Amino acid sequence: MSVVGARLPRLEIHEKVTGRAQYIADLSRPGMLHAAILGSPHPHARILGYDTAEAAALPGVRAVLTGDDIGDGLMGAFIKDEPAIAKGKVRYVGEAVAAVAADDEATARAALGLIRVDYEELPALLTPEDALAPGAAIIHEGLANYFKVFDAQCEGNQMSATEIVEGDVEAGFAQCDIVVEGVFETQAQNHLALEPCGALAEVDAAGRVTLWSANQSVFRVQANVCESLGLPMSRLRSLTPRIGGGFGNKMEAHVQPITVALTLATSRPVRLILSREEDFEMIRARHPYKIRMKTGAMRDGTLVAREVEVLADGGAYGDDSPGVLGYSLLMSRGPYNIPHMKATGRLAYTNKLRFGAIRGFGNPQTSFAGESQIDEIAAELGLDPIDIRLKNAMRPGDTWFGGQIVPSNGLVECLEKLRDALAERRGADTPPGKRRGIGIAACAHVSGLLATGAIVRLLEDGTVVLNTGAVDIGQGSDTALAQICAEALKLPIEAVAIASPDTDGSPYNWGTTASRVTYTTGRAVVAACADVERQIKERAAGLLECGEEDLELRPDGLVGVKGASNRVLPIQVVSAISHWRGGGPIIGSNSFVYDEPTIDPKRASATGLPFGQIGVYSFCAMASEVMIDETTGKTEVTYACEAVDVGRAINPSMVEGQIEGGFVQGLGFALTEEMVWDGGRLANPSMMDYKAPGVRDVPYEIRSIIVEHPQPEGPFGAKGVGEISLVGVPAAISNGIADAAGFRLRRLPMTPERVLSALLES
């Protein structure tokens, strides 16, 4: 292969490094208005009335909207429970109560201060325990009547509940020689994409809206906006400029419905961009989890049984929360053969901002607990942490929790390569006043989920336009898909152009999330290219006077007769003749939805699981070397290594970038990042008070080891890599702290204060 596997630069790299990339903040339209949002000062309150007259009279103000000006439409990925603007009541501090469009942003923000809202405060429920307590105030009185896309198991303030059972967990524990049990807690983590959320909309003379926004799916934007505003989907065209990162917070709607509503109200273009503080307070974050886990093993280290109970904070609206809970339970066994498993979870509505999808999708939380207990068992039995993982590791052909067969599995190779990489770190010197340790973790993640498509159009000169509808949020998917297309058609990468996602012309793609684009959309690209190849051979057969089966594509845009080097035609000639003489333009397409069942009813049972079809597993083994300062408790990660089975690395440089970036984001989740609430108000909505890792916090070396165990039906064998590199990081660092200091922390983040307190108590 000449293109797949090559370390090619990203297609958009020049426009980004030269500052010519166009983001939402760079876009404008003639006569454009600027918008601002008034957020709720209360976490839970009934709206008794509004007075917007003074704001509307301010010179330069063109529209003031409240919930009274919006219909009764509701949006949501799993439960349709969220209005575009609060209607009747507010459910978290910062929730949109009113919106203003004005000639400039300063006027719009000044008008916000003139809006009067009369509230009746209601009891604020700020923890899942409070929300689920008997007699608690109800956050969503209409929950029973909301439309739900799955069996949500909801009542009161319970948003959903999920259970997955395989084997007989009680009988399994009865066989065990050792059982460990503990409660683990994880915190809310902000996505912290470089670009805050924003949108720009305009309406034409026929009343059709064009919407540009920072998003991870033009199709989810279209669906959410139209559901919430009661618009036919054909009246909204959704597009995407360059995106400054997402990590999940731009998958579902943010300010797009409000922007479109203001555009329709004014008949003028409207742009709305959140400040960093607003982005913190109004969008999404990683779900706080409380996990009770119990794991049992035989004396030789064979894992036998595990029981998991999760209580998750879902925030004020459903968003992606039911999917996150269900998926985290599905992943709670880890990449091991444990015959007896029971995983249950409850998700509560609370009066905090929406919690939603973020890199890892619930997997880092349960992996933190599970991988900690693997190390606890190893320590109790005197086993090496890598040996116990190798002993229990899934092999190719084994089944995942729930019974799905996993044909591609490089976990054993990942663990073995990790052991080799760590050999040189063993026995290194430890400076005075420090404690040094190495922690191990293993994990898996999926990349097969929901629907996608691809259209490949052969142009008259033999070059190609690829249109997938997949949004590149900075991870490089445009480049990877172009490489897949070029390889499939044996063209140079320069011959492939990528069409920008556009609901008017792109094939459907669910979204850039769940590590799915390379695998799912890549599969569609390969199939669409095969359609193009078939048509090229069909047209060329007559020109070369041979059968279609006698032809093959050759490098550099040629089609020729097998075994006859002098009987060739440029694809350009075939395409030109097709355009102008006969056959018609050559266009290939493919679409599919991932349909492998998650649960095999002969092996397992499940209730309340949102994803009936999800799979295709990547695997990872990682290590973190930590150094603990005995005086301050500060934990420094001095070395990291990740061996990741990606099936096939379409672009090794981009794979390594994903591994390094995922580790750094996981480092923040493990040690420093935490959204803190003061009552119902977020206390640290700024980069000054929210502590993300800086360049000095990142280990000098993050070693990336690419392992390739091809997925049979994947594009050239590829699987996903976007999230898996983060999943095991908190567990690896926690296990490193335990190795260094002899105690185990079960709450994230593992701040210097928490580490120092444990040091003083040990």
Side-chain angles (χ1 to χ4, degrees):
M1 295 185 184
S2 60
V3 183
V4 164
R7 294 179 177 271
L8 300 179
R10 297 253 293 269
L11 297 180
E12 82 284 9
I13 190 67
H14 289 291
E15 68 177 77
K16 286 184 174 178
V17 299
T18 58
R20 288 181 288 178
Q22 296 285 297
Y23 299 87
I24 286 293
D26 300 307
L27 303 183
S28 64
R29 303 297 295 164
M32 185 178 75
L33 302 175
H34 299 260
I37 294 174
L38 178 66
S40 166
H42 305 295
H44 196 195
R46 205 173 312 282
I47 300 173
L48 302 179
Y50 310 90
D51 182 353
T52 62
E54 191 175 356
L58 185 68
V61 170
R62 305 302 173 184
V64 180
L65 297 182
T66 69
D68 289 349
D69 302 304
I70 305 294
D72 295 325
L74 298 172
M75 58 186 166
F78 295 93
I79 301 172
K80 309 298 181 185
D81 60 0
E82 184 176 0
I85 302 178
K87 291 181 70 68
K89 67 187 300 190
V90 292
R91 296 179 172 91
Y92 67 94
V93 172
E95 181 174 6
V97 178
V100 173
D103 291 344
D104 55 69
E105 185 177 352
T107 301
R109 292 195 176 276
L112 297 182
L114 302 177
I115 298 172
R116 303 289 177 258
V117 185
D118 188 13
Y119 296 99
E120 175 193 348
E121 290 192 56
L122 299 171
L125 303 171
L126 302 176
T127 68
E129 291 87 351
D130 288 344
L132 297 176
I138 299 300
I139 296 174
H140 284 270
E141 293 85 352
L143 178 59
N145 298 319
Y146 292 155
F147 181 82
K148 306 166 187 74
V149 302
F150 76 112
D151 181 17
Q153 307 284 310
C154 54
E155 60 177 346
N157 288 322
Q158 180 174 291
M159 185 188 301
S160 69
T162 303
E163 179 178 271
I164 310 172
V165 179
E166 184 173 352
D168 185 335
V169 72
E170 291 185 5
F173 280 120
Q175 303 170 27
C176 295
D177 297 314
I178 179 175
V179 175
V180 298
E181 187 171 5
V183 175
F184 298 80
E185 294 185 60
T186 66
Q187 77 284 18
Q189 181 187 23
N190 190 266
H191 295 75
L192 216 63
L194 285 176
E195 179 193 28
C197 290
L200 166 62
E202 69 176 351
V203 59
D204 65 19
R208 191 164 191 259
V209 178
T210 299
L211 172 65
W212 298 263
S213 67
N215 69 76
Q216 294 176 231
S217 170
V218 291
F219 296 96
R220 287 300 302 151
V221 168
Q222 184 186 48
N224 279 317
V225 171
C226 291
E227 285 175 345
S228 63
L229 300 182
L231 295 175
M233 292 176 73
S234 59
R235 277 193 64 194
L236 179 71
R237 179 188 182 194
S238 176
L239 302 100
T240 302
R242 291 297 179 198
I243 306 298
F247 308 114
N249 72 330
K250 295 169 182 169
M251 181 61 188
E252 303 299 330
H254 43 80
V255 302
Q256 297 102 328
I258 295 174
T259 309
V260 170
L262 287 168
T263 292
L264 292 172
T266 61
S267 298
R268 288 176 60 178
V270 175
R271 190 177 71 186
L272 172 55
I273 299 175
L274 298 182
S275 68
R276 177 60 66 183
E277 182 176 346
E278 290 171 331
D279 200 79
F280 261 100
E281 292 179 334
M282 296 176 60
I283 307 300
R284 311 178 164 81
R286 190 183 298 279
H287 296 78
Y289 265 42
K290 182 174 286 186
I291 305 157
R292 187 191 69 81
M293 185 174 285
K294 179 180 176 183
T295 306
M298 305 300 290
R299 201 171 307 281
D300 65 354
T302 301
L303 300 175
V304 177
R306 174 172 284 176
E307 186 175 43
V308 184
E309 292 180 7
V310 167
L311 180 60
D313 190 336
Y317 294 101
D319 205 75
D320 285 318
S321 293
V324 172
L325 173 66
Y327 179 66
S328 67
L329 297 179
L330 185 68
M331 304 304 288
S332 64
R333 193 186 76 178
Y336 307 110
N337 289 305
I338 305 179
H340 303 287
M341 275 288 304
K342 181 178 181 180
T344 60
R346 299 178 74 192
L347 183 66
Y349 282 112
T350 66
N351 292 121
K352 292 179 182 171
L353 83 173
R354 298 161 293 188
F355 294 105
I358 180 174
R359 197 176 197 172
F361 210 73
N363 196 353
Q365 292 97 313
T366 51
S367 291
F368 169 54
E371 288 301 292
S372 295
Q373 291 200 333
I374 298 294
D375 260 35
E376 288 185 82
I377 291 171
E380 290 266 356
L381 298 175
L383 299 174
D384 179 84
I386 292 182
D387 286 342
I388 192 172
R389 288 172 170 84
L390 282 168
K391 183 178 186 64
N392 294 282
M394 291 176 59
R395 265 69 176 180
D398 286 346
T399 57
W400 194 259
F401 180 27
Q404 185 180 33
I405 296 174
V406 181
S408 166
N409 180 346
L411 179 59
V412 169
E413 185 179 349
C414 290
L415 286 163
E416 290 172 344
K417 287 185 178 295
L418 184 70
R419 188 203 297 277
D420 293 342
L422 288 176
E424 62 192 58
R425 310 295 299 186
R426 302 288 184 184
D429 292 336
T430 303
K434 305 280 188 179
R435 297 192 188 185
R436 177 179 171 273
I438 293 178
I440 307 298
C443 58
H445 205 75
V446 298
S447 50
L449 182 62
L450 292 174
T452 193
I455 298 171
V456 177
R457 185 160 61 93
L458 189 64
L459 304 179
E460 294 158 83
D461 64 353
T463 59
V464 163
V465 172
L466 171 62
N467 193 347
T468 67
V471 177
D472 190 326
I473 59 174
Q475 84 283 24
S477 61
D478 281 357
T479 304
L481 295 175
Q483 288 183 253
I484 290 169
C485 180
E487 188 68 56
L489 294 175
K490 292 185 169 55
L491 294 170
I493 188 73
E494 296 79 12
V496 179
I498 300 289
S500 181
D502 180 345
T503 54
D504 270 7
S506 297
Y508 180 84
N509 181 66
W510 174 58
T512 301
T513 188
S515 303
R516 63 181 293 279
V517 172
T518 298
Y519 170 77
T520 57
T521 309
R523 275 184 62 182
V525 171
V526 169
C529 288
D531 191 8
V532 169
E533 180 180 3
R534 176 190 60 77
Q535 294 177 63
I536 290 172
K537 291 178 178 178
E538 180 184 86
R539 314 288 169 80
L543 298 172
L544 291 169
E545 299 179 339
C546 65
E548 296 173 33
E549 68 279 4
D550 298 323
L551 293 173
E552 63 183 0
L553 296 183
R554 296 181 184 175
D556 299 321
L558 300 174
V559 57
V561 178
K562 298 173 185 176
S565 60
N566 62 335
R567 296 183 65 190
V568 297
L569 278 175
I571 291 174
Q572 175 184 356
V573 171
V574 178
S575 183
I577 290 174
S578 297
H579 274 82
W580 296 104
R581 186 184 300 172
I586 295 175
I587 302 171
S589 65
N590 177 262
S591 64
F592 76 98
V593 63
Y594 185 83
D595 59 2
E596 292 295 321
T598 307
I599 302 296
D600 179 354
K602 296 178 181 179
R603 298 180 59 95
S605 63
T607 57
L609 182 64
F611 295 121
Q613 298 88 29
I614 189 173
V616 182
Y617 291 85
S618 301
F619 293 87
C620 175
M622 65 177 66
S624 294
E625 180 186 75
V626 305
M627 205 78 72
I628 302 173
D629 188 305
E630 294 179 325
T631 302
T632 66
K634 181 180 179 181
T635 300
E636 179 185 4
V637 178
T638 52
Y639 170 83
C641 180
E642 293 198 21
V644 187
D645 167 27
V646 300
R648 178 65 191 271
I650 302 298
N651 187 315
S653 294
M654 294 198 306
V655 169
E656 290 165 354
Q658 287 291 320
I659 292 172
E660 293 164 7
F663 182 86
V664 172
Q665 200 166 21
L667 174 71
F669 187 42
L671 295 180
T672 63
E673 294 185 47
E674 182 174 16
M675 297 173 72
V676 178
W677 275 265
D678 179 8
R681 182 175 294 278
L682 185 62
N684 59 336
S686 72
M687 293 292 290
M688 178 173 289
D689 297 316
Y690 182 85
K691 301 301 182 183
V695 65
R696 293 187 176 183
D697 302 308
V698 176
Y700 178 76
E701 182 179 2
I702 302 174
R703 183 172 179 185
S704 303
I705 301 173
I706 297 174
V707 174
E708 296 181 312
H709 281 242
Q711 180 71 19
E713 77 290 350
F716 301 100
K719 302 184 284 192
V721 68
E723 294 168 280
I724 192 170
S725 55
L726 181 151
V727 168
V729 176
I733 293 175
S734 174
N735 288 337
I737 291 173
D739 182 49
F743 56 76
R744 180 165 298 281
L745 297 178
R746 294 181 174 86
R747 182 182 175 188
L748 299 181
M750 296 172 286
T751 61
E753 294 84 354
R754 290 171 182 163
V755 174
L756 183 60
S757 293
L759 279 172
L760 294 174
E761 292 173 4
S762 63

